[in-house]
Amino acid sequence: MSRIVSVFVPCLMDAPHPETARSVVTVLRRIGVSVNIPKEQSCCGQPAYNNGYRREAARVARRFLKTFASARAIVCPSGSCVHMIRHEYPVLFANDAQWLRLAEEIGKRTFELTEFLVDVLQVTDVGACYPAKATYHDSCHLARGLGIRSQPRELLSNVRGLQWVEMKDSDRCCGFGGAFSIKYPEISTALCDDKIENIRNTGADTVIGCDMGCLMHIAARLATTGSPIHVRHIADILAHTGNAP
Amino acid sequence: MTTPSPEHYPQQAKQALSDPILKKALKGLQDRLGSGALAAYRNLPEGEGLRHLAHEIRKAHVRNIDVLLATLGRNIRSHGGNVFFARDAAAATDYVLNLARERGVRGVVKGKSMTSEEIGINAALEKDGISVTETDLGEFIIQLAGEHPSHIIAPAIHKTREDIGRLFEKTIGIPYTDDPPALTLAARKYLRTRFLEADMGITGCNLACAQTGQIALVSNEGNIRLSTTLPRIHVAIMGMERICATLDEQLLLLRLLCRGASAQKMGGYVSFIAGPRKDGFRDGPEEFHLIVLDNDRSRILADPVFREVLCCIRCGGCLNVCPVYARIGGHTYGYAYSGPIGAVITPLLTGIERSKHLYCGETLCGACKDICPVGIDLPRMLLALRNIHAEGSRRWNIRPNHLLESLAYGIWAQLMTRPKLYNAAIRLGHELSPLIQRLHLPGWTPQRAIPSLAKRRFTQSPMSQTSTGENRHGS
């Protein structure tokens, strides 16, 4: 498999969390992967698609496809975006043969970060060290949509210093759901509180996930309750090699 | 209590969210049944893959629905039963009302049926002076309370035993008790008289079989067996999609139905009913009527995207895993069908615009797809409904009329396809961050803190542009 990859940085990571995007690059480079980050990238189109605005979604999706058309492998640190590209682009371009073909080809070459590390490169230890007591949140599109459950766990189990606790219903939705969280804030927050209760019950000081959307939501809710629990993207854990987080 | 409706989903949701009893009850239900169903699938002798087979079988049933229904009708009639194809709810209720009038029916006992809830048969009969008694324990409780079911198979899940104790004290006149066996016994005693007095039994139909010309009914209380055998007339109402081709397929689907619904290998009672009592037999009704209800299902059938939802066998499994349902309960959905399946079929049956909150108010987490015994892709249909809501549909006669929202997504698409503009917007957002953090962003705050933006997107930073790594391990 190609050791040169193009990284697609999710829009929810690119501007709010550039340091996490940097972690993705750090991890890939540490294991000898050459990284290319196309400057022309923006978003996969999911925000519009999930709300029914398919014309707008298709415009943005076409830009994504053009940007990554020549990439041999695309790595994206988000189950949600990869699910969009792999499983929703074929729906979006169902009546557009030309773009459909490109979308399907690119869908096959696009991998979620932990999937790429474990399934493609067969790397389960990236030499990380992160002393913390942590639990893992399975994001919906990653776990159910792409079936990626064991890969992040394998990677985390090889992080030195990381004490591991599973939470109850780890694959239950955090209530983010994109625009849902704004249209139905009360329901969204109630779901998030259920998630936070399960996190708290583990006694973990850190919750780890693979999708910035969920993590941002959980962190934003935790912040209003003054909780000391840290919320981290898996890339930030895997990139860490020092002693103190 | 005002009758819930899909339009008032947000308000109804808020009300339900503030109900700690509902929360506890639904959590218990989901912990028990949701994971139980998934385990029950894993324990199938044929393996979980049986659900893929069931999906294909159901798709074939839907594809051949016209032929299958014609065969079913012919076979039921050959067994001495009557079959009526009802175009809509009014036609179905009229048929039952006329029958009840002609036969001098005064008392009706009912088995649990969501289709009868859909057409509102109880109110129609009662208006005619006919007494109607729900005989499923949960439905009985709901009827006494003057409410609607809040779950497809556990209609009274939102009530505590204390609620029920007070209700029974007030309505059927027993001394207050909150002891479940005592309450069940009281209901049983009360219902037994109704069974013996009733002239007509009305039930739903879990799955009908074209090949053999019978309907199958599943229950755990035995009430359906009494409703279908004691009164002199039995009327069964089925949604037209609840049809199977062969007996083997019907049995396979019944096994999956019970697993999906209640993690059981099979319900306590399964009745197969092909027609009225035959000459020389002692049990069974004198007349059997099967009403096959369309009520806009043909419209769903004609739509290639939504046709798949007709594969549903109404096990209610998706309610047992949906995180949204778990917090807002069935009444919030405002119609007979709640949870993820309700979020898809209620808009299709009652109006896509009218019920917009149902499909917008779900998170697309996919748990419903995961548990469905016949593999229906409900999230895909929620997305398709949102697409109709946003962009309109000639087939469903809906025009796009959400100017502001479509404008917003138009601007967003401009930003996402024009890097300079996008970068400038991020920069502006960064500069204004301290101000924005203090703002009230309707929909996001005060429940959640506002995340801040970096000065520059990572992908635009010089660091991101060094294209090769250290290659420590070579390549």
Side-chain angles (χ1 to χ4, degrees):
Chain A
M1 191 64 204
S2 166
R3 285 255 161 170
I4 304 169
V5 301
S6 295
V7 173
F8 172 47
V9 180
C11 55
L12 287 179
M13 187 183 283
D14 201 5
H17 297 283
E19 72 290 352
T20 304
R22 195 169 302 133
S23 294
V24 174
V25 175
T26 305
V27 171
L28 288 169
R29 285 185 177 158
R30 191 191 299 143
I31 59 167
V33 176
S34 295
V35 176
N36 169 42
I37 300 164
K39 228 179 162 125
E40 302 74 32
Q41 62 177 290
S42 59
C43 171
C44 63
Q46 192 181 183
Y49 181 79
N50 278 1
N51 287 291
Y53 291 89
R54 295 194 179 178
R55 269 190 297 268
E56 286 76 6
R59 275 179 62 194
V60 176
R62 279 195 292 269
R63 182 182 176 86
F64 170 86
L65 293 172
K66 266 193 266 180
T67 305
F68 288 92
S70 59
R72 283 199 272 171
I74 301 150
V75 171
C76 173
S78 160
S80 193
C81 308
V82 175
H83 181 265
M84 173 74 189
I85 294 158
R86 204 181 285 172
H87 295 303
E88 303 297 350
Y89 277 11
V91 179
L92 192 59
F93 294 114
N95 300 317
D96 191 337
Q98 194 194 336
W99 287 102
L100 180 63
R101 238 187 64 205
L102 182 60
E104 284 174 342
E105 280 170 19
I106 288 196
K108 285 184 206 136
R109 304 204 296 268
T110 305
F111 304 94
E112 187 273 332
L113 175 66
T114 66
E115 177 187 37
F116 184 74
L117 294 174
V118 176
D119 295 350
V120 180
L121 299 183
Q122 317 222 310
V123 171
T124 55
D125 187 344
V126 296
C129 174
Y130 196 100
K133 185 178 179 188
T135 187
Y136 175 74
H137 163 65
D138 285 280
S139 45
C140 298
H141 285 135
L142 185 76
R144 274 181 294 272
L146 301 173
I148 299 174
R149 295 170 188 265
S150 63
Q151 295 88 331
R153 288 181 167 81
E154 271 186 71
L155 287 160
L156 291 172
S157 68
N158 288 320
V159 172
R160 277 157 281 280
L162 196 75
Q163 192 194 337
W164 182 253
V165 230
E166 282 284 349
M167 71 169 99
K168 182 175 182 280
D169 296 336
S170 65
D171 65 352
R172 198 169 171 88
C173 182
C174 73
F176 176 53
F180 167 85
S181 64
I182 295 165
K183 286 183 178 171
Y184 305 93
E186 292 84 6
I187 307 175
S188 167
T189 312
L191 267 55
C192 198
D193 288 345
D194 290 347
K195 174 59 70 181
I196 288 171
E197 193 185 323
N198 289 337
I199 296 169
R200 280 215 176 98
N201 287 341
T202 63
D205 52 52
T206 305
V207 54
I208 302 169
C210 294
D211 272 272
M212 221 63 226
C214 320
L215 297 175
M216 187 189 75
H217 190 232
I218 296 169
R221 181 65 183 158
L222 281 170
T224 60
T225 56
S227 164
I229 296 173
H230 301 288
V231 182
R232 296 283 181 268
H233 190 279
I234 193 165
D236 287 328
I237 306 292
L238 299 180
H240 205 268
T241 48
N243 287 325
Chain B
M1 155 176 174
T2 53
T3 308
S5 86
E7 284 105 321
H8 301 131
Y9 178 92
Q11 298 90 307
Q12 285 153 196
K14 270 183 228 173
Q15 202 180 340
L17 284 168
S18 62
D19 182 346
I21 291 165
L22 183 72
K23 179 183 171 185
K24 197 173 155 219
L26 292 178
K27 189 171 186 300
L29 175 99
Q30 292 205 335
D31 282 347
R32 216 167 48 246
L33 296 183
S35 46
L38 291 170
Y41 298 144
R42 284 194 294 274
N43 295 334
L44 278 163
E46 299 93 332
E48 274 187 276
L50 193 63
R51 291 197 283 163
H52 302 299
L53 176 65
H55 181 73
E56 293 308 317
I57 289 174
R58 281 301 284 156
K59 279 208 305 209
H61 292 160
V62 172
R63 206 161 45 235
N64 302 320
I65 197 165
D66 51 348
V67 178
L68 294 178
L69 286 174
T71 310
L72 173 74
R74 216 168 35 242
N75 285 336
I76 295 250
R77 284 177 187 128
S78 77
H79 296 137
N82 302 280
V83 181
F84 175 65
F85 291 92
R87 193 174 166 274
D88 53 20
T93 45
D94 283 351
Y95 182 88
V96 181
L97 278 176
N98 288 335
L99 185 68
R101 284 174 194 146
E102 279 170 25
R103 305 291 193 273
V105 169
R106 302 190 48 204
V108 169
V109 281
K110 279 189 67 205
K112 170 159 189 39
S113 154
M114 296 314 289
T115 313
S116 80
E117 190 73 22
E118 175 186 333
I119 63 173
I121 192 79
N122 291 19
L125 287 166
E126 280 163 354
K127 210 173 143 200
D128 227 38
I130 297 165
S131 90
V132 181
T133 310
E134 294 286 352
T135 65
D136 173 272
L137 182 56
E139 292 282 349
F140 176 62
I141 294 165
I142 293 307
Q143 189 186 27
L144 291 180
E147 294 177 14
H148 294 276
S150 75
H151 186 286
I152 290 177
I153 62 154
I157 186 71
H158 58 288
K159 293 224 169 293
T160 62
R161 55 197 168 109
E162 291 82 8
D163 288 341
I164 298 163
R166 282 188 291 272
L167 180 70
F168 277 17
E169 183 183 23
K170 202 173 84 188
T171 50
I172 62 174
I174 61 158
Y176 176 84
T177 167
D178 55 24
D179 174 44
L183 289 166
T184 308
L185 208 63
R188 187 181 170 167
K189 201 172 152 201
Y190 179 91
L191 289 172
R192 194 50 60 107
T193 321
R194 298 297 174 287
F195 279 123
L196 293 168
E197 288 168 358
D199 314 289
M200 180 187 275
I202 297 179
T203 67
C205 157
N206 287 104
L207 288 164
C209 174
Q211 180 192 36
T212 48
Q214 38 79 358
I215 64 165
L217 287 159
V218 183
S219 90
N220 278 312
E221 298 171 15
N223 63 309
I224 286 188
R225 193 152 291 174
L226 290 172
S227 303
T228 56
T229 48
L230 283 176
R232 56 192 160 90
I233 306 162
H234 173 204
V235 178
I237 307 168
M238 66 179 264
M240 71 178 208
E241 78 283 8
R242 308 289 276 278
I243 177 88
C244 304
T246 66
L247 183 62
D248 285 344
E249 289 171 354
Q250 187 189 27
L251 295 179
L252 182 149
L253 289 162
L254 284 170
R255 288 169 59 211
L256 286 171
L257 172 82
C258 298
R259 281 174 162 83
S262 49
Q264 289 174 293
K265 284 184 183 166
M266 192 49 73
Y269 298 80
V270 183
S271 305
F272 292 87
I273 296 165
R277 176 172 63 207
K278 295 227 161 42
D279 289 340
F281 281 65
R282 298 177 63 170
D283 293 322
E286 293 161 20
E287 288 180 52
F288 172 71
H289 298 259
L290 177 64
I291 298 175
V292 183
L293 180 71
D294 185 327
N295 212 25
D296 265 357
R297 285 164 175 76
S298 296
R299 206 173 172 193
I300 302 175
L301 183 65
D303 188 313
V305 174
F306 296 115
R307 186 174 301 155
E308 188 186 331
V309 81
L310 295 178
C311 294
C312 176
I313 54 175
R314 290 297 185 275
C315 67
C318 53
L319 281 64
N320 300 338
V321 291
C322 175
V324 172
Y325 174 86
R327 295 306 300 265
I328 65 175
H331 288 153
T332 297
Y333 296 80
Y335 192 62
Y337 309 107
S338 57
I341 183 65
V344 172
I345 54 170
T346 302
L348 294 174
L349 294 176
T350 71
I352 291 177
E353 275 304 280
R354 182 179 169 237
S355 302
K356 64 177 181 202
H357 291 301
L358 270 55
Y359 50 83
C360 290
E362 300 275 334
T363 69
L364 303 174
C365 80
C368 49
K369 182 185 170 191
D370 234 26
I371 200 171
C372 181
V374 295
I376 300 174
D377 194 343
L378 287 173
R380 173 145 334 282
M381 280 176 251
L382 293 170
L383 285 168
L385 284 164
R386 290 179 185 189
N387 180 231
I388 292 179
H389 172 69
E391 296 181 345
S393 156
R394 207 172 293 168
R395 184 192 294 276
W396 293 90
N397 196 21
I398 287 169
R399 278 194 229 158
N401 62 349
H402 308 282
L403 263 178
L404 271 180
E405 199 174 62
S406 86
L407 189 70
Y409 282 107
I411 293 170
W412 169 85
Q414 288 286 343
L415 280 177
M416 291 300 135
T417 48
R418 284 179 175 63
K420 278 186 185 154
L421 211 59
Y422 183 24
N423 292 339
I426 294 294
R427 182 71 183 250
L428 184 70
H430 170 75
E431 298 299 338
L432 296 177
S433 261
L435 176 71
I436 296 172
Q437 304 264 321
R438 287 202 299 272
L439 288 180
H440 170 56
L441 293 187
W444 188 261
T445 55
Q447 290 99 333
R448 293 156 290 201
I450 301 172
S452 59
L453 289 178
K455 193 168 177 180
R456 189 158 50 189
R457 294 162 59 204
F458 173 75
T459 50
Q460 309 302 308
S461 66
M463 190 256 177
S464 73
Q465 296 307 309
T466 38
S467 64
T468 46
E470 297 156 49
N471 280 347
R472 244 184 21 197
H473 303 275
S475 57

